[in-house]
Amino acid sequence: MKVYISTDFEGVAGIVDWDQILIGGHDYEMGRRLLLGELNAAIDGALAAGADAFVVNDSHSTMRNLPPDELHGEATLISGKHKPLYMMEGLDATFDAIFFIGYHGSMGASQAVLSHSYNPRAIWEARINGEVVGEAALNALVAAHYGVPIALVTGDEATIAEATRLAPPPHGVAVKRGVSRTAAASLHPTEARRRIHQGARLALTEAKPASAPSFAPGTRVELTFLTADMAEMCAWIPGVELVAGQPRTVAFGGDDPLAIFRTFVTLVMLTRALVE
Ligand SMILES: [Zn+2]
């Protein structure tokens, strides 16, 4: 049984500030220790359920937050940038399940610690078929293409509430309750890891989703940016259109979830040019 794990950082127990999760930050070394602890708990839980191969994709910021020699399960590590499929780089149809570890809520969610949707300085809101979505649902486009179920999501309570709206819903483990965007009540890391271990095991056994996520033909993504300039820049790409009467919003879509995700990543990269 082969498990694909995409790690973010904001959703780890004890994390409430960018200073803990960006290279050079005062508390970065503590932050990465907390992330590693939760990741290894998930791998250990999966091992207990019979998994025997792991690929970990470090998906946060510079994407080199994990010490390769300290990963359990002799996991292969995908790190560094640039990665064409970004938070989902390295997934293919040979995997049996996907875990999202340390994920966070969408930019506009309430009491969501360090919330954002890919780029907090560009994207105000992302919607798929009219519903506001976070990173888990956007990344689900890639899972749908390869036909791999999303089995486990960990993060704060807001993240779990968002992620479990996916169909079929993944098993969720909440490790903290957001007080505000920059404050939280976190489980002790030992308890967070215990719950993630148990959650990972369940996610591959009794609670395993029956199928990969799927998206109807003609799926439509809308992105609202912080400025109109960003939306206008996105509309340079064929197939991406400005939404009438909404100068900060573009729409794109189609029948192929991977092509939709690739367009999304292109817009994320493109609009970086306009971030102040
Ligand atoms: Zn993120």
Side-chain angles (χ1 to χ4, degrees):
M1 184 165 41
K2 204 171 159 187
V3 179
Y4 177 88
I5 306 177
S6 170
T7 59
D8 210 338
F9 210 151
E10 293 84 351
V12 169
I15 298 299
V16 292
D17 194 288
W18 304 112
D19 189 50
Q20 298 171 304
I21 61 173
L22 294 175
I23 289 178
H26 187 254
D27 277 340
Y28 177 69
E29 289 306 321
M30 180 195 71
R32 68 198 306 211
R33 200 171 69 235
L34 294 174
L35 170 63
L36 178 69
E38 292 196 3
L39 168 61
N40 279 337
I43 292 175
D44 291 347
L47 284 165
D52 55 7
F54 301 89
V55 171
V56 174
N57 178 22
D58 186 334
S59 302
H60 173 77
S61 184
T62 55
M63 304 191 255
R64 48 185 177 92
N65 304 287
L66 293 164
D69 57 342
E70 292 181 47
L71 298 189
H72 289 188
E74 298 191 5
T76 296
L77 176 63
I78 300 174
S79 60
K81 49 173 145 180
H82 148 79
K83 295 186 283 197
L85 288 183
Y86 218 115
M87 301 182 82
M88 299 302 280
E89 184 64 33
L91 185 70
D92 62 37
T94 66
F95 288 90
D96 298 286
I98 296 168
F99 290 177
F100 292 154
I101 301 297
Y103 268 45
H104 53 79
S106 65
M107 184 70 166
S110 173
Q111 295 174 321
V113 179
L114 301 177
S115 64
H116 60 281
S117 304
Y118 267 81
N119 185 349
R121 286 185 279 175
I123 298 176
W124 173 258
E125 188 169 273
R127 294 177 293 282
I128 298 181
N129 295 329
E131 193 179 339
V132 175
V133 293
E135 291 174 4
L138 289 160
N139 296 343
L141 290 161
V142 184
H145 172 78
Y146 288 114
V148 186
I150 301 172
L152 177 72
V153 178
T154 74
D156 67 8
E157 289 179 358
T159 308
I160 304 309
E162 275 186 347
T164 49
R165 288 205 297 266
L166 284 167
H171 187 62
V173 177
V175 297
K176 60 188 171 188
R177 177 179 54 79
V179 172
S180 68
R181 193 163 177 259
T182 48
S186 292
L187 295 176
H188 187 281
T190 303
E191 174 63 10
R193 292 167 195 170
R194 196 185 65 74
R195 292 190 194 187
I196 291 171
H197 184 287
Q198 184 186 35
R201 189 177 55 72
L202 282 173
L204 296 180
T205 53
E206 295 112 89
K208 188 169 183 189
S211 66
S214 66
F215 292 87
T219 284
R220 179 178 158 99
V221 176
E222 288 180 349
L223 296 179
T224 300
F225 290 92
L226 298 188
T227 69
D229 282 4
M230 291 175 178
E232 284 162 19
M233 189 182 236
C234 290
W236 297 349
I237 306 287
V240 179
E241 292 173 358
L242 283 164
V243 173
Q246 297 178 48
R248 294 184 293 123
T249 301
V250 296
F252 54 97
D255 299 340
D256 176 354
L258 189 67
I260 295 171
F261 186 79
R262 283 193 189 282
T263 300
F264 170 72
V265 170
T266 302
L267 303 187
V268 168
M269 302 302 230
L270 189 67
T271 51
R272 279 193 188 148
L274 291 178
V275 167
E276 285 170 12

